[in-house]
Amino acid sequence: MLQHPQVKGPGIGLLGFSKGGDLSLSMASFLKNITAVATINGPVANTAIPLSYKDKIIPPLPTDQQRNKVYDDNILDFSDAPSDPFQAPGNQSLIPLEKAEAHLLFIAGQDDHIINSEYFATEACKHLQAQGKENFQMLIYPGVGHCLDPPFFPLYRIGNHPLFQKRAVLGGEFMANSKAQVHAWPQIQAFFHKYLNDK
């Protein structure tokens, strides 16, 4: 990416949503030249499939399908299915965030029904703070579900879960989501502007 003519350098910024969030955090934990990462409703543990880098393999976070809630028309709420990567002793799924030299921005919606993104973001920041890190910040939005798109995109409260191939509750309230879109995107741009531009 650094060789791409439209990449200014010297570092790279990553914006990851959902699974893209844990991939972006993993890249920042293992690769050099990642300067800034913003993750939107992303887990802080590897999910879905094993992640391999050199001699390191991070297994996926276990999920318990029995904890899914089922609503009318067989629409599922997956928010309780993932295991808690901070409570399991020796959990190997947790991304080693403390290795990241990048600045990290965790963005989470309190009404996310895919993962408990507020909890993941809050615990990740506590974990980083306990490791003596100060390279993180967090934005939490009440009434925001799993999908936080750029301003003026429509809210989809129900969608297809790409991993489980089933209809899923994504969450979110119309007014809260709209306000969060208008607030979050300038914050993301300012974050990248601050940490990616030459000083």
Side-chain angles (χ1 to χ4, degrees):
M1 285 298 294
L2 283 170
Q3 305 305 316
H4 193 283
Q6 293 185 347
V7 175
K8 182 178 175 184
I12 295 173
L14 303 173
L15 174 60
F17 162 70
S18 193
K19 173 64 180 171
D22 80 58
L23 290 174
S24 297
L25 292 169
S26 296
M27 290 173 68
S29 298
F30 294 112
L31 303 176
K32 296 189 182 310
N33 299 320
I34 308 289
T35 307
V37 173
T39 175
I40 301 172
N41 291 327
V44 294
N46 181 46
T47 58
I49 58 172
L51 179 70
S52 178
Y53 177 69
K54 294 187 177 179
D55 61 345
K56 176 84 173 156
I57 296 176
I58 301 177
L61 184 66
T63 58
D64 183 354
Q65 299 294 319
Q66 300 301 315
R67 295 191 305 204
N68 290 339
K69 297 178 195 104
V70 181
Y71 297 107
D72 294 338
D73 299 322
N74 206 27
I75 298 171
L76 302 178
D77 179 333
F78 291 97
S79 56
D80 293 331
S83 299
D84 185 340
F86 297 98
Q87 299 300 321
N91 188 338
Q92 300 297 310
S93 300
L94 193 61
I95 297 164
L97 301 172
E98 65 279 0
K99 292 182 178 182
E101 294 178 12
H103 294 273
L104 307 174
L105 173 59
F106 298 94
I107 301 171
Q110 288 182 330
D111 194 38
D112 187 347
H113 288 262
I114 299 296
I115 63 165
N116 189 344
S117 55
E118 178 187 19
Y119 173 76
F120 277 34
T122 302
E123 291 302 309
C125 291
K126 287 180 190 175
H127 174 76
L128 288 165
Q129 192 170 30
Q131 300 288 325
K133 296 288 202 166
E134 297 177 352
N135 61 331
F136 61 90
Q137 58 195 82
M138 180 172 51
L139 296 172
I140 303 294
Y141 292 103
V144 171
H146 192 65
C147 296
L148 182 61
D149 294 313
F152 314 115
F153 272 60
L155 171 64
Y156 295 96
R157 301 182 70 204
I158 296 173
N160 291 321
H161 193 291
L163 178 62
F164 300 114
Q165 301 297 311
K166 296 188 177 171
R167 302 284 289 158
V169 177
L170 303 174
E173 301 164 10
F174 291 107
M175 186 62 72
N177 195 74
S178 294
K179 288 180 179 179
Q181 286 176 337
V182 170
H183 182 266
W185 287 94
Q187 298 294 316
I188 294 167
Q189 290 171 323
F191 172 77
F192 284 128
H193 182 76
K194 180 177 182 179
Y195 295 114
L196 292 177
N197 286 331
D198 293 326
K199 301 197 174 178

Coordinates of all heavy atoms in Angstrom, one line a residue, residues 87-131:
Q87 N -12.8 -12.5 29.7 CA -13.0 -13.3 30.9 C -12.5 -14.8 30.8 O -12.3 -15.4 31.8 CB -14.6 -13.4 31.1 CG -15.2 -12.1 31.4 CD -14.6 -11.4 32.6 OE1 -14.4 -12.0 33.6 NE2 -14.4 -10.1 32.5
A88 N -12.3 -15.2 29.6 CA -11.8 -16.6 29.5 C -10.3 -16.7 29.8 O -9.5 -16.0 29.2 CB -12.0 -17.1 28.0
P89 N -9.9 -17.5 30.8 CA -8.5 -17.5 31.1 C -7.7 -18.1 29.9 O -8.0 -19.1 29.3 CB -8.4 -18.5 32.3 CG -9.7 -19.1 32.4 CD -10.7 -18.3 31.6
G90 N -6.6 -17.4 29.6 CA -5.7 -17.9 28.5 C -6.4 -17.8 27.2 O -5.9 -18.6 26.3
N91 N -7.4 -17.0 27.0 CA -8.0 -16.9 25.7 C -7.1 -16.5 24.6 O -6.5 -15.4 24.7 CB -9.2 -15.9 25.8 CG -10.1 -16.0 24.5 OD1 -9.6 -16.4 23.5 ND2 -11.3 -15.6 24.7
Q92 N -6.9 -17.3 23.6 CA -5.9 -17.0 22.6 C -6.6 -16.2 21.4 O -5.9 -15.9 20.5 CB -5.4 -18.4 22.0 CG -4.7 -19.2 23.1 CD -3.4 -18.5 23.6 OE1 -2.6 -18.0 22.8 NE2 -3.3 -18.4 24.9
S93 N -7.9 -15.9 21.5 CA -8.6 -15.2 20.4 C -8.4 -13.7 20.5 O -8.6 -13.0 19.5 CB -10.1 -15.5 20.5 OG -10.3 -16.9 20.3
L94 N -8.0 -13.2 21.7 CA -7.9 -11.8 21.9 C -6.7 -11.3 21.1 O -5.6 -11.8 21.1 CB -7.6 -11.5 23.4 CG -7.7 -10.1 23.9 CD1 -9.1 -9.5 23.6 CD2 -7.4 -10.0 25.3
I95 N -6.9 -10.2 20.3 CA -5.9 -9.6 19.5 C -4.9 -8.9 20.5 O -5.3 -8.2 21.4 CB -6.5 -8.6 18.5 CG1 -7.4 -9.4 17.5 CG2 -5.4 -7.9 17.8 CD1 -8.3 -8.5 16.7
P96 N -3.6 -9.1 20.3 CA -2.6 -8.4 21.2 C -2.5 -6.9 20.9 O -1.5 -6.4 20.4 CB -1.3 -9.2 20.9 CG -1.4 -9.7 19.5 CD -2.9 -9.9 19.3
L97 N -3.5 -6.2 21.3 CA -3.6 -4.7 21.0 C -2.4 -4.0 21.6 O -2.0 -2.9 21.0 CB -4.9 -4.2 21.6 CG -6.2 -4.8 21.1 CD1 -7.4 -4.2 21.9 CD2 -6.4 -4.5 19.6
E98 N -1.9 -4.4 22.7 CA -0.8 -3.7 23.3 C 0.5 -3.7 22.5 O 1.3 -2.8 22.7 CB -0.4 -4.4 24.7 CG 0.1 -5.8 24.6 CD -1.0 -6.9 24.5 OE1 -2.2 -6.5 24.4 OE2 -0.6 -8.0 24.4
K99 N 0.5 -4.5 21.4 CA 1.7 -4.5 20.5 C 1.5 -3.4 19.4 O 2.5 -3.1 18.8 CB 1.8 -5.8 19.8 CG 2.3 -7.0 20.7 CD 2.5 -8.2 20.0 CE 2.9 -9.4 20.9 NZ 3.1 -10.6 20.1
A100 N 0.3 -2.9 19.3 CA 0.1 -1.9 18.2 C 0.8 -0.6 18.6 O 0.6 -0.1 19.7 CB -1.4 -1.7 18.1
E101 N 1.5 0.0 17.6 CA 2.1 1.3 17.8 C 1.2 2.4 17.2 O 1.4 3.6 17.5 CB 3.5 1.3 17.2 CG 4.4 0.4 17.9 CD 5.8 0.4 17.2 OE1 6.1 1.3 16.3 OE2 6.6 -0.5 17.5
A102 N 0.2 2.0 16.5 CA -0.8 2.9 15.9 C -1.7 3.5 16.9 O -1.9 3.0 18.0 CB -1.6 2.1 14.9
H103 N -2.2 4.7 16.6 CA -3.2 5.3 17.4 C -4.5 4.6 17.0 O -4.8 4.3 15.8 CB -3.3 6.8 17.1 CG -2.1 7.5 17.5 ND1 -1.9 8.0 18.8 CD2 -1.0 7.8 16.9 CE1 -0.8 8.6 18.9 NE2 -0.1 8.5 17.7
L104 N -5.4 4.3 18.0 CA -6.6 3.5 17.9 C -7.8 4.3 18.2 O -7.8 5.0 19.3 CB -6.5 2.3 18.7 CG -5.2 1.4 18.6 CD1 -5.2 0.3 19.6 CD2 -5.1 0.9 17.2
L105 N -8.8 4.3 17.4 CA -10.1 4.9 17.7 C -11.2 3.8 17.6 O -11.4 3.2 16.6 CB -10.4 6.0 16.6 CG -11.8 6.6 16.7 CD1 -12.1 7.3 18.0 CD2 -12.0 7.6 15.5
F106 N -11.8 3.6 18.8 CA -12.8 2.6 18.9 C -14.2 3.3 18.9 O -14.4 4.2 19.7 CB -12.7 1.8 20.2 CG -11.5 1.0 20.4 CD1 -10.4 1.6 21.0 CD2 -11.4 -0.3 19.9 CE1 -9.2 0.8 21.2 CE2 -10.2 -1.0 20.0 CZ -9.1 -0.4 20.6
I107 N -15.0 2.9 17.9 CA -16.4 3.5 17.8 C -17.4 2.4 18.0 O -17.3 1.3 17.4 CB -16.6 4.2 16.4 CG1 -15.5 5.2 16.2 CG2 -18.0 4.7 16.3 CD1 -15.5 5.8 14.8
A108 N -18.3 2.6 18.9 CA -19.3 1.5 19.2 C -20.7 2.1 19.4 O -20.9 3.2 19.9 CB -18.8 0.8 20.5
G109 N -21.6 1.3 19.0 CA -23.1 1.6 19.2 C -23.6 0.8 20.3 O -23.3 -0.4 20.5
Q110 N -24.4 1.5 21.2 CA -24.9 0.8 22.4 C -26.1 -0.1 22.0 O -26.5 -0.9 22.9 CB -25.4 1.8 23.4 CG -24.2 2.5 24.1 CD -24.7 3.5 25.1 OE1 -25.8 4.1 25.0 NE2 -23.9 3.7 26.1
D111 N -26.6 -0.1 20.8 CA -27.7 -0.9 20.4 C -27.3 -1.9 19.4 O -28.1 -2.4 18.6 CB -28.9 -0.1 19.9 CG -30.2 -0.8 19.8 OD1 -30.4 -1.7 20.7 OD2 -30.9 -0.6 18.8
D112 N -26.0 -2.3 19.4 CA -25.5 -3.3 18.4 C -26.0 -4.7 18.8 O -25.8 -5.1 20.0 CB -24.0 -3.2 18.5 CG -23.3 -4.1 17.4 OD1 -24.0 -5.0 16.8 OD2 -22.1 -3.9 17.2
H113 N -26.7 -5.4 17.9 CA -27.2 -6.7 18.2 C -26.4 -7.8 17.5 O -26.8 -9.0 17.5 CB -28.7 -6.8 17.8 CG -29.5 -6.0 18.7 ND1 -30.3 -6.6 19.7 CD2 -29.8 -4.7 18.8 CE1 -30.9 -5.7 20.4 NE2 -30.7 -4.5 19.8
I114 N -25.2 -7.5 17.0 CA -24.4 -8.5 16.4 C -23.3 -8.9 17.4 O -23.0 -10.1 17.6 CB -23.7 -8.0 15.0 CG1 -24.8 -7.7 14.0 CG2 -22.7 -9.0 14.5 CD1 -25.6 -9.0 13.6
I115 N -22.6 -7.9 17.9 CA -21.7 -8.1 19.0 C -21.9 -7.0 20.1 O -22.6 -6.0 19.8 CB -20.2 -8.0 18.6 CG1 -19.9 -6.7 18.1 CG2 -19.9 -9.1 17.6 CD1 -18.4 -6.4 17.9
N116 N -21.5 -7.2 21.3 CA -21.6 -6.2 22.3 C -20.4 -5.2 22.1 O -19.5 -5.2 22.9 CB -21.6 -6.9 23.7 CG -21.9 -5.9 24.8 OD1 -21.9 -4.7 24.6 ND2 -22.2 -6.4 26.0
S117 N -20.5 -4.4 21.1 CA -19.4 -3.6 20.7 C -19.0 -2.5 21.8 O -17.8 -2.2 21.9 CB -19.7 -2.9 19.4 OG -20.9 -2.2 19.4
E118 N -20.0 -2.0 22.5 CA -19.6 -1.1 23.6 C -18.7 -1.8 24.6 O -17.7 -1.2 25.1 CB -20.9 -0.5 24.3 CG -20.5 0.4 25.4 CD -21.7 0.9 26.2 OE1 -22.8 0.2 26.2 OE2 -21.6 1.9 26.9
Y119 N -19.1 -3.0 25.0 CA -18.3 -3.7 26.0 C -16.9 -4.0 25.5 O -15.9 -3.8 26.1 CB -19.0 -5.0 26.4 CG -18.2 -5.9 27.3 CD1 -18.0 -5.6 28.6 CD2 -17.6 -7.0 26.7 CE1 -17.3 -6.5 29.4 CE2 -16.8 -7.9 27.5 CZ -16.7 -7.6 28.9 OH -15.9 -8.4 29.7
F120 N -16.8 -4.5 24.2 CA -15.5 -4.8 23.6 C -14.6 -3.5 23.6 O -13.5 -3.6 23.9 CB -15.7 -5.3 22.2 CG -16.0 -6.8 22.1 CD1 -16.8 -7.4 23.1 CD2 -15.6 -7.6 21.1 CE1 -17.1 -8.8 23.0 CE2 -15.8 -8.9 21.0 CZ -16.6 -9.5 22.0
A121 N -15.2 -2.4 23.2 CA -14.4 -1.2 23.1 C -14.0 -0.7 24.5 O -12.8 -0.3 24.7 CB -15.2 -0.1 22.4
T122 N -14.9 -0.7 25.4 CA -14.5 -0.3 26.8 C -13.5 -1.2 27.4 O -12.5 -0.7 28.0 CB -15.8 -0.3 27.7 OG1 -16.8 0.6 27.1 CG2 -15.5 0.2 29.1
E123 N -13.6 -2.5 27.3 CA -12.7 -3.4 27.9 C -11.3 -3.3 27.1 O -10.3 -3.5 27.8 CB -13.2 -4.9 27.8 CG -14.4 -5.1 28.8 CD -14.0 -4.8 30.2 OE1 -13.0 -5.3 30.7 OE2 -14.8 -4.0 30.9
A124 N -11.3 -3.1 25.8 CA -10.1 -2.9 25.1 C -9.3 -1.7 25.6 O -8.1 -1.8 25.8 CB -10.3 -2.8 23.6
C125 N -10.0 -0.6 25.9 CA -9.4 0.6 26.4 C -8.8 0.3 27.8 O -7.7 0.8 28.1 CB -10.3 1.7 26.4 SG -10.7 2.3 24.7
K126 N -9.6 -0.4 28.6 CA -9.1 -0.7 30.0 C -7.8 -1.6 29.9 O -6.9 -1.4 30.6 CB -10.2 -1.5 30.8 CG -11.3 -0.6 31.2 CD -12.3 -1.5 32.0 CE -13.6 -0.9 32.3 NZ -14.5 -1.8 33.0
H127 N -7.9 -2.6 29.0 CA -6.7 -3.5 28.8 C -5.5 -2.7 28.3 O -4.4 -2.9 28.9 CB -7.1 -4.5 27.7 CG -6.0 -5.4 27.3 ND1 -5.5 -6.4 28.1 CD2 -5.2 -5.4 26.2 CE1 -4.5 -7.0 27.4 NE2 -4.3 -6.4 26.3
L128 N -5.7 -1.8 27.4 CA -4.5 -0.9 26.9 C -4.0 0.0 28.0 O -2.8 0.1 28.2 CB -5.0 -0.1 25.7 CG -5.2 -0.9 24.4 CD1 -5.9 -0.1 23.4 CD2 -3.8 -1.3 23.9
Q129 N -4.9 0.5 28.8 CA -4.5 1.4 29.9 C -3.7 0.6 30.9 O -2.7 1.1 31.4 CB -5.7 2.1 30.5 CG -5.4 3.2 31.5 CD -6.7 3.9 31.9 OE1 -7.8 3.4 31.9 NE2 -6.5 5.2 32.2
A130 N -4.2 -0.6 31.2 CA -3.4 -1.4 32.2 C -2.0 -1.8 31.7 O -1.1 -2.1 32.5 CB -4.3 -2.7 32.4
Q131 N -1.9 -1.8 30.4 CA -0.5 -2.1 29.8 C 0.3 -0.8 29.7 O 1.4 -0.8 29.0 CB -0.7 -2.7 28.4 CG -1.5 -4.0 28.4 CD -0.7 -5.1 28.9 OE1 0.5 -5.2 28.8 NE2 -1.4 -6.0 29.6

